Amino acid sequence: MAQAAAVAKPPAPPRRRRRASATPRRLPYLLIAPAALLMLGFIAYPVISVFYYSLQNYNPTKPWRNRYAGFDNFVHAFTEDPVFWDTLTFSAKWVFVEVGLQLLFGLALALIVNQTFVGRALGRAMVFSPWAVSGVLTSAIWVLLYNSQTCLTRYLADLGIGSYGTSWLSDTSTVFPAAIVADLWRGVPFFAILILADLQSVSKDLYEAAEVDGAGRLKQFWHITLPHLKDAIILSTLLRAVWEFNNVDLLYTLTGGGPAGETTTLPLYIANTSVDAHNFGYASALTTVAFVILLFCSMVYLRLSKFGGEGK
């Protein structure tokens, strides 16, 4: 009986194997832990700081006025600051027009460079090259093009667009379309790159079968290409909408928010409030409001568009 009980006891080596096999399972998490902690520190600390200062009256140039303000900054933004509503309205207009036009032209360019033709590699390089240019350099280029003494302005004046000796960026009636064109030049390649990458994965058998069934180019685009590009379009428009909402570098260098505040977005207003006026408490409150607006709009957009659902 004693021998049988000894045989029935579980052997020790399996326990050692279980302990040894636990280490490889934890190894991936241990390897990514330093990078995850570093990213968490760089993301969590600024976010928490913004939320903290949004509840404060904090101006380093006037420390005697620094105190806990509660929700006074938010109340002031929604009830007493007309500039906040003006900049928020312009931001929505800017995002809607820019993203819509960039998607339209980007889709058209992607469909063109996806075709087989002589010099396609060069054509793709020319289409994608503006995306590699920084926003500050892009705005500097277009500032020179829109100068009242350049050939472009004079040629447009000859065509009846604008007037001689007037810069498009200093006229309230032309500054918005001028800024739109400048940002289109840089933003369209972003959509073209993402959409072209997704177009490469469309099976040619689908188009061949559609041709056999008598479907033309328009029907093939509507029933094959567009459904396949659904997720790419949703993701690219969402990312670009967030970037355009937070667009500061191009508009700041191009117009500085002028003339007369006509091109001041909410992030640009936040930058001016914090950097120029040193009112970091109120700027943090505006940043918190912008964060909540972007989060809410992103969730609603993904919900309504059914991102990741059956669409292909």
Side-chain angles (χ1 to χ4, degrees):
M1 295 295 293
Q3 291 179 352
V7 173
K9 291 181 180 179
R15 289 199 297 269
R16 288 197 297 270
R17 285 197 296 269
R18 284 197 296 270
R19 287 197 298 269
S21 63
T23 301
R25 287 198 299 268
R26 299 194 189 102
L27 184 59
Y29 301 99
L30 294 175
L31 292 176
I32 67 174
L37 292 174
L38 190 63
M39 292 178 61
L40 183 63
F42 276 101
I43 295 175
Y45 175 74
V47 170
I48 294 174
S49 298
V50 168
F51 282 120
Y52 171 76
Y53 285 112
S54 67
L55 303 175
Q56 309 288 327
N57 282 334
Y58 181 70
N59 189 331
T61 63
K62 301 175 181 178
W64 59 89
R65 295 185 179 178
N66 296 344
R67 61 177 178 83
Y68 176 74
F71 293 98
D72 290 349
N73 289 325
F74 298 96
V75 173
H76 176 73
F78 285 103
T79 61
E80 303 176 10
D81 187 3
V83 179
F84 165 74
W85 292 107
D86 293 339
T87 56
L88 183 59
T89 302
F90 176 76
S91 297
K93 176 183 176 182
W94 172 265
V95 170
F96 181 79
V97 175
E98 273 292 345
V99 175
L101 291 177
Q102 288 178 20
L103 172 62
L104 181 63
F105 289 113
L107 177 60
L109 282 177
L111 292 173
I112 292 173
V113 297
N114 190 47
Q115 304 298 318
T116 302
F117 56 89
V118 178
R120 184 174 67 171
L122 179 60
R124 288 182 176 181
M126 293 179 64
V127 168
F128 301 152
S129 58
W131 180 245
V133 183
S134 67
V136 175
L137 183 56
T138 298
S139 57
I141 294 172
W142 285 94
V143 164
L144 295 176
L145 290 175
Y146 287 141
N147 188 280
S148 60
Q149 303 302 320
T150 59
C151 296
L152 175 63
T153 305
R154 283 181 284 178
Y155 288 152
L156 291 175
D158 292 337
L159 297 174
I161 305 174
S163 57
Y164 295 99
T166 302
S167 173
W168 279 40
L169 299 177
S170 61
D171 190 343
T172 56
S173 62
T174 58
V175 64
F176 181 72
I180 288 292
V181 171
D183 199 48
L184 276 177
W185 180 78
R186 180 169 176 256
V188 167
F190 170 78
F191 282 95
I193 293 171
L194 289 184
I195 293 175
L196 177 63
D198 206 27
L199 280 174
Q200 304 297 310
S201 62
V202 183
S203 176
K204 295 182 179 179
D205 296 338
L206 296 175
Y207 293 106
E208 293 176 357
E211 289 181 359
V212 171
D213 293 337
R217 287 291 184 91
L218 184 59
K219 287 188 176 180
Q220 292 178 25
F221 171 78
W222 188 258
H223 295 287
I224 299 177
T225 305
L226 203 57
H228 186 88
L229 296 176
K230 174 192 170 186
D231 285 349
I233 291 175
I234 294 173
L235 180 61
S236 59
T237 51
L238 178 61
L239 291 176
R240 196 60 188 167
V242 173
W243 290 340
E244 289 297 344
F245 183 88
N246 294 317
N247 192 336
V248 173
D249 55 350
L250 186 138
L251 285 175
Y252 182 81
T253 310
L254 199 66
T255 65
E262 288 290 326
T263 57
T264 302
T265 59
L266 181 57
L268 186 54
Y269 178 47
I270 293 172
N272 292 333
T273 302
S274 58
V275 177
D276 296 339
H278 305 288
N279 193 352
F280 291 98
Y282 187 56
S284 298
L286 294 177
T287 303
T288 303
V289 173
F291 170 76
V292 173
I293 291 173
L294 284 178
L295 180 62
F296 175 77
C297 292
S298 300
M299 293 175 62
V300 171
Y301 179 67
L302 291 176
R303 180 72 175 176
L304 295 178
S305 61
K306 300 179 181 179
F307 177 71
E310 294 294 332
K312 293 186 180 183

